[in-house]
Amino acid sequence: MEPVLSFLMTSPDSDSDSDSGSLLESVYVEAVEGADDVDETRSRVLDAAYAQFCRMGIQRSTMEDVARQAGVSRITVYRRFATKDALVEQVVRREFRRYFDQFLIDIERAETAADRVVLGFVGSLRTIRHNPLIGGLIATEPDLLLPSLTGDGGRTLATVRRFVAGQLRREQRAGNVSSDLDTEFVAEMMVRISGSLLAIPSHIIDLDDDEQLAALARRFLVPMLEPGVPRLDSP
């Protein structure tokens, strides 16, 4: 099997060189627009696959295992997911959708832009690390997950940056941060910091300590919202 998230970087209806968008990008759009999956049998199979992959890992699980877990026939599983790769794709895609959804929920609790940056940062790391599937892959099968996140020419980072930059532009429209803020640059730096903490274990920062993470965000991320942060097109 290819690196487990490689399919998130390509469009399901086109070659990988197409500009039509990646699956991860479509997950981002679904989260923003609130799209829902109404196929109950499909959702049941995805739930079963999620439980199976969390318990046994992706490589050791078969389509037959998933069918048994879901209480349906193997044919039913194959009718909705032609291959195991297609099933894995949709399970992981759904978990990233949940990540985006949780991010939006977390920041709604905050009263200021600075607080939303802190809650978004802490909540994102917690959501990904504690997700039984994604967090489990990071911890136990990094050779499957991390190459897809870091070896895709920056497309994963670009998609998450787009999501964060969109939130920053909302803050601009509301008058909460300077209109001169380079939202793409600030989002890039925020996502790179978060990504490096997820990908490379730290012996100094305890990623399970929310207070420590919040302090880190206030010290290094919140100041990025200040007008003094230069735009990339500044002389």
Side-chain angles (χ1 to χ4, degrees), residues 84-158:
K84 180 183 173 183
D85 280 354
L87 176 59
V88 173
E89 166 189 319
Q90 294 303 319
V91 172
V92 177
R93 170 179 174 154
R94 189 173 67 164
E95 293 312 296
F96 272 91
R97 161 70 190 274
R98 288 173 174 172
Y99 155 71
F100 286 128
D101 287 342
Q102 188 61 50
F103 182 97
L104 294 173
I105 291 171
D106 286 340
I107 64 175
E108 284 297 322
R109 297 187 287 118
E111 296 182 357
T112 68
D115 288 343
R116 281 186 282 277
V117 167
V118 173
L119 282 175
F121 175 73
V122 175
S124 293
L125 292 180
R126 184 196 315 116
T127 298
I128 293 175
R129 280 175 49 79
H130 292 178
N131 181 285
L133 180 62
I134 305 300
L137 286 172
I138 291 175
T140 64
E141 300 184 73
D143 56 321
L144 288 179
L145 183 65
L146 296 181
S148 297
L149 294 176
T150 60
D152 67 343
R155 291 161 71 183
T156 300
L157 184 146

Side-chain angles (χ1 to χ4, degrees), residues 17 40 59 62 78 107 115 124 132 135 145-146 160 164-165 203 225:
D17 293 334
E40 292 184 5
Q59 290 183 313
T62 67
Y78 276 107
I107 64 175
D115 288 343
S124 293
L145 183 65
L146 296 181
V160 182
V164 175
H203 298 290
L225 302 178

